[in-house]
Amino acid sequence: MDQLQVTSKLPDVGTSIFSVMTQLAAEHGAINLAQGFPDYNPPQVLLDALARHARADGHHQYAPMPGLPRLRELISQKTAAVYGGAPPDPATEITVTSGATEALYAVLAAVVHPGDEVVMLEPAYDLYGPAIRLQGGIPVYVPLQLTDFRPDWDQVKAAFSPRTRLVMLNTPHNPTGAMLTEDDWQQLADLLEGTNILVLSDEVYEHMVFDGVRHRSARQHPALARRSFVLSSFGKTYHATGWKVGYCVAPPALTAELRRVHQFLTFSVSTPTQHALADVLAEADLYHGLPAFYQHKRDLFRELMQETRFELLPAPGAYFQLARYQKLAPSQDDVSFARYLTTEVGVAVVPVSAFYHDGRDHGLIRFCFAKQDDTLRAAVARLREL
Ligand SMILES: Cc1ncc(COP(=O)(O)O)c(C=O)c1O
């Protein structure tokens, strides 16, 4: 029989680096500081709520397509409580999605037409570029500045063309932890004034901010809020990345487009999980406590790392720490160094070049510090030997 021919839509894309490193970590018994997921459980109240709803009658069939009304109502209240302004309308402005991942994909599928350009800043979460391309869109990559990873707004401006449909931003930022300021949002608003360009603001690390600095949301800037899809992730906020529940807040016209895709992509999100999240969402302490919870981990990790020969970059937000390793391996590329750490030293990390479409190597690796204190201690004990 003739060999079956499949023409790949993403011929240059392999298995994501996170899966590769996690697999390598498992094979070599390495401590996994690579993939961004906690090694501790969600809050007990949330686990109890899920168990309750899993046992309840009537919570096991399809949820309404945009999300449970009760959960959307609570998301609306939370959004207004955290970011001020009018609460978004649960009926027309909030959609519960299968993680922020589905929301990202659905937004791109909803608004990017073949040949449209999408401006995105790099390094970037690895889904962005391929998901744009799958819609027939053209990613236009703008590098963040070394080493504070702030946007250069002149470069962003230069990246715009009459075909620009969307700008994608992520704050607090994966992998660098950098955060957009009020001034950044203002500069973006000035650039977009009078255009039809939309904004996708990926804010999944909204509650992981340190040193008293507050996260600024696109929602807090009225000129941007009217053209923005703002994404959140319950997976990040409740240490439940495996539950894959997130949501998108956007004005009615944008939400209507998002839902056109969402209804055919997943239709709706796991019903008992939505009930459980709704039970705990009003408990504001659970998310108000996150900055202190993660700042403790960041500070502990940074302090422990002082006894190693890694050089740490600032880590203002999210749960990632970037580091230089040149004192240990002056001329090694970041991918081989990350593999060496994983397979020989027993600590899995991610090379930052994996967050650039062209594999650009700045000699940086990313650690995830969303781990139990003892995990961090055990990992650094291995790194100290170097
Ligand atoms: C920047 C960014 N956006 C989106 C996601 C995906 O979020 P979720 O797990 O809710 O799909 C991640 C997960 O690592 C992320 O780092």
Side-chain angles (χ1 to χ4, degrees):
M1 201 177 84
D2 289 345
Q3 180 117 30
L4 195 63
Q5 295 289 325
V6 180
T7 308
S8 176
K9 294 182 84 174
L10 293 173
D12 54 332
V13 169
T15 307
S16 98
I17 189 75
F18 309 103
S19 309
V20 170
M21 285 300 171
T22 293
Q23 174 75 25
L24 262 188
E27 280 166 24
H28 290 83
I31 299 170
N32 190 354
L33 303 191
Q35 207 170 359
F37 65 85
D39 66 348
Y40 33 86
N41 274 343
Q44 192 58 42
V45 279
L46 183 56
L47 297 180
D48 291 344
L50 182 63
R52 214 168 39 245
H53 290 291
R55 280 189 225 103
D57 276 344
H59 289 174
H60 303 287
Q61 310 312 326
Y62 296 125
M65 180 274 280
L68 287 183
R70 182 168 73 101
L71 181 58
R72 280 182 286 136
E73 176 57 43
L74 287 156
I75 291 171
S76 168
Q77 290 169 18
K78 181 204 165 196
T79 305
V82 174
Y83 297 117
D89 181 349
T92 59
E93 298 187 295
I94 295 172
T95 310
V96 179
T97 56
S98 298
T101 302
E102 192 234 333
L104 278 161
Y105 198 90
V107 168
L108 292 168
V111 305
V112 176
H113 296 245
D116 282 352
E117 294 177 358
V118 178
V119 172
M120 55 171 280
L121 304 168
E122 279 195 321
Y125 185 51
D126 63 344
L127 169 152
Y128 291 8
I132 295 165
R133 288 166 46 207
L134 283 171
Q135 309 315 319
I138 302 164
V140 179
Y141 305 100
V142 178
L144 290 164
Q145 303 176 92
L146 288 177
T147 54
D148 61 2
F149 295 100
R150 307 204 55 71
D152 174 338
W153 292 108
D154 289 333
Q155 279 197 45
V156 175
K157 184 177 179 187
F160 285 153
S161 86
R163 296 201 304 184
T164 308
R165 172 76 55 181
L166 181 76
V167 187
M168 291 178 82
L169 296 154
N170 172 213
T171 181
H173 185 253
N174 177 9
T176 69
M179 287 161 63
L180 295 178
T181 62
E182 206 168 335
D183 181 58
D184 287 318
W185 286 124
Q186 184 56 51
Q187 298 216 44
L188 178 65
D190 292 345
L191 289 183
L192 299 186
E193 199 183 331
T195 73
N196 281 321
I197 299 171
L198 303 172
V199 174
L200 194 169
S201 184
D202 179 344
E203 304 184 10
V204 299
Y205 300 104
E206 62 192 315
H207 297 299
M208 290 141 203
V209 292
F210 312 127
D211 307 316
V213 178
R214 309 256 326 241
H215 162 63
R216 299 289 306 174
S217 170
R219 280 199 60 74
Q220 291 169 298
H221 198 296
L224 292 174
R226 57 179 281 277
R227 57 171 90 230
S228 294
F229 297 92
V230 180
L231 309 190
S232 294
S233 170
F234 287 123
K236 305 291 180 192
T237 299
Y238 293 115
H239 321 314
T241 58
W243 290 22
K244 293 302 293 184
V245 188
Y247 59 92
C248 175
V249 181
L254 301 190
T255 294
E257 294 307 321
L258 167 75
R259 290 182 184 173
R260 283 185 211 259
V261 175
H262 168 72
Q263 68 183 338
F264 296 136
L265 194 53
T266 62
F267 182 69
S268 65
V269 173
S270 156
T271 309
T273 314
Q274 290 195 63
H275 278 289
L277 288 162
D279 282 1
V280 305
L281 195 47
E283 292 190 35
D285 288 353
L286 289 178
Y287 51 85
H288 283 323
L290 286 181
F293 176 82
Y294 278 110
Q295 181 160 341
H296 160 78
K297 294 204 175 293
R298 182 201 64 168
D299 292 349
L300 172 68
F301 186 62
R302 289 178 69 90
E303 192 189 313
L304 293 166
M305 288 291 281
Q306 293 311 317
E307 292 175 31
T308 70
R309 294 166 68 209
F310 289 92
E311 290 168 85
L312 304 183
L313 272 60
Y319 46 45
F320 304 113
Q321 173 67 61
L322 296 191
R324 296 189 188 286
Y325 53 84
Q326 282 64 29
K327 284 190 186 158
L328 292 155
S331 54
Q332 201 165 11
D333 65 87
D334 67 352
V335 173
S336 350
F337 188 74
R339 276 183 180 273
Y340 158 76
L341 272 193
T342 307
T343 58
E344 308 295 322
V345 183
V347 179
V349 296
V350 181
V352 172
S353 62
F355 297 84
Y356 287 93
H357 73 286
D358 55 4
R360 186 173 309 200
D361 182 3
H362 295 300
L364 291 168
I365 52 171
R366 188 197 79 174
F367 295 94
C368 170
F369 55 77
K371 306 292 168 185
Q372 295 176 44
D373 292 0
D374 283 347
T375 309
L376 297 175
R377 286 196 187 92
V380 179
R382 293 180 181 187
L383 299 174
R384 247 197 321 255
E385 301 299 314
L386 288 170

